Amino acid sequence: MKFTCVVQKIMNRYRQYAVTAKNMLTKPVIVNSLPMHIQIEVTTYCNMNCLSCGRRHIVSHPKNMTYDDFVHIYDQIRPQNINLSGIGEPLLNPEIFRMIEYCKSNDAIVNFPTNLTMPPPVVEKLVHAKLDQLKISIDAVTRETYREVKGADKFDRVIQNIRLINSIKAEMGVHHPDLRFNFALQKYNVHELPRLVNLACEMGVSTIYVQDLNYFSVEDDKPKLCGIDKKTLRKVLNDSERLAKNCGIKTNIANWRRNFERFYNKMLPKDQYVPNNNKCNFPWFSIFIDVEGNVKPCPVFVFAQKGEILGNCMKESFASIWNNDRYQRIRNEFKDNIRRNDICKYCVPPNILDINLIFRKMLLRG
């Protein structure tokens, strides 16, 4: 009986993957299936001051989402995959572990990014909570670079906390949470990416995700963040990918190679930007819901608190939002690659060739 239930769950999951793939390929204006992936911003509090993050320009009154509001939103969608993050540090929400538990009780795959600088008692709970994947925003392999890009001297604590997680996993005989390094690539840390592969191998981290920065809220900081020589960047990426393959570390560098000129173009001054023709797939399978309950097309809109709000889950049902006039408009525009707002204009969305990456990211609980 138990085996039959497990098989049924797996079949249902793959059935939804198939429906979602069809939606991304055919791009209907009305989407009859609910999004299989959602990202909910559970807090806008943060204990860091990262150079590449626009939070300092955006958040004046930080807020935690309550557990009751979270459940109210979650129950309307019940996604297969959920990311509990936004522009804050998820572990600063005192109810984060209740939220994880609720998602897991509903069979969801749960992940979120963290700077992992919390005290050991909090870190220990990450294993016991049965979190599927923990994305560690590390951005460096030395204390000096970490301090430069993160605005705090906490590199050693992060390493200690990774070791703590691994020791508890070994003691319990479990594989969760799967560990991933997030690396916000910028001028100050690009030279450390190959060494990050070695660190991942040493620390039992399965995946490295090289993040292309979204400069919407930090355009004035571009001189500090960019200025990477194109030849140097190519070499760093190629060397890192080769090392990762030798170590069995998964990365998204193949996506960087396919879209190199587009990603590099984003680093140039705004007046030199050349729009790309990648079509966005997000309005057909994923959504971002901010700490106030506002529904937005994708997580990049975390950097525009008032931009492209499609509805509010606390004031109206999600079912009424998912296919409302605003959503239909944006799907129609995206089908024709019309990008009206600046966030979309300066984005490099995964194109149709990267659908495999999108699904693999979900299947591997990324």
Side-chain angles (χ1 to χ4, degrees), residues 42-276:
V42 296
T43 186
T44 52
Y45 282 94
C46 192
N47 59 337
M48 303 291 270
N49 188 30
C50 299
L51 189 63
S52 61
C53 180
R55 180 184 174 279
R56 61 189 178 277
H57 304 305
I58 298 168
V59 179
S60 54
H61 302 289
K63 176 181 179 179
N64 284 321
M65 181 177 285
T66 67
Y67 175 76
D68 288 343
D69 284 351
F70 176 82
V71 170
H72 174 76
I73 293 170
Y74 182 94
D75 282 348
Q76 296 182 64
I77 307 168
R78 293 187 173 271
Q80 289 195 17
N81 189 297
I82 184 168
N83 182 333
L84 305 177
S85 69
I87 206 165
E89 165 54 54
L91 291 175
L92 290 178
N93 187 316
E95 298 188 287
I96 184 66
F97 290 103
R98 289 184 70 196
M99 294 173 179
I100 297 171
E101 182 182 13
Y102 190 77
C103 295
K104 294 306 298 177
S105 71
N106 285 282
D107 244 7
I109 295 170
V110 188
N111 70 81
F112 60 77
T114 174
N115 55 51
L116 203 64
T117 59
M118 301 300 128
V122 176
V123 174
E124 290 174 10
K125 290 182 180 180
L126 291 167
V127 183
H128 296 285
K130 299 181 180 179
L131 182 71
D132 291 287
Q133 186 179 60
L134 192 67
K135 304 170 181 178
I136 304 162
S137 301
I138 192 163
D139 301 338
V141 296
T142 63
R143 284 183 64 186
E144 294 74 22
T145 302
Y146 187 94
R147 189 165 51 240
E148 184 74 47
V149 301
K150 308 290 278 186
D153 187 11
K154 297 184 178 181
F155 179 77
D156 290 343
R157 180 180 292 183
V158 175
I159 297 301
Q160 290 166 7
N161 282 338
I162 295 172
R163 291 198 172 108
L164 176 60
I165 288 172
N166 285 333
S167 69
I168 296 172
K169 285 166 66 174
E171 185 180 317
M172 293 177 62
V174 298
H175 299 289
H176 59 261
D178 176 62
L179 301 180
R180 179 177 110 179
F181 277 154
N182 279 1
F183 187 80
L185 188 142
Q186 54 201 277
K187 180 169 64 177
Y188 292 108
N189 67 7
V190 62
H191 61 286
E192 293 192 356
L193 183 56
R195 292 167 62 190
L196 186 71
V197 176
N198 294 328
L199 182 64
C201 193
E202 175 192 338
M203 303 299 293
V205 173
S206 72
T207 308
I208 295 174
Y209 190 82
V210 183
Q211 295 175 290
D212 65 296
L213 298 182
N214 295 296
Y215 301 101
F216 182 77
S217 57
V218 290
E219 185 68 32
D220 292 341
D221 295 326
K222 260 190 177 179
K224 300 177 187 175
L225 298 167
C226 303
I228 305 170
D229 176 72
K230 188 182 286 190
K231 184 177 179 181
T232 299
L233 180 55
R234 282 191 189 277
K235 185 177 187 307
V236 166
L237 290 170
N238 290 337
D239 290 347
S240 301
E241 186 175 34
R242 186 175 62 254
L243 280 170
K245 286 179 179 177
N246 291 338
C247 295
I249 303 292
K250 297 185 290 289
T251 76
N252 67 324
I253 295 177
N255 187 33
W256 271 83
R257 282 193 286 100
R258 280 193 297 273
N259 291 286
F260 183 85
E261 293 297 336
R262 295 180 177 94
F263 285 138
Y264 193 81
N265 185 240
K266 280 178 66 177
M267 300 178 188
L268 300 177
K270 205 170 184 179
D271 59 359
Q272 296 180 34
Y273 181 78
V274 179
N276 63 78

Side-chain angles (χ1 to χ4, degrees), residues 282-283 286-288 295-299 301 307-308 310 327 330 334:
F282 276 86
S286 180
I287 54 161
F288 174 69
V295 176
K296 301 179 181 181
C298 85
F301 280 88
E308 206 63 73
L310 303 170
Y327 241 119
I330 203 168
F334 279 20

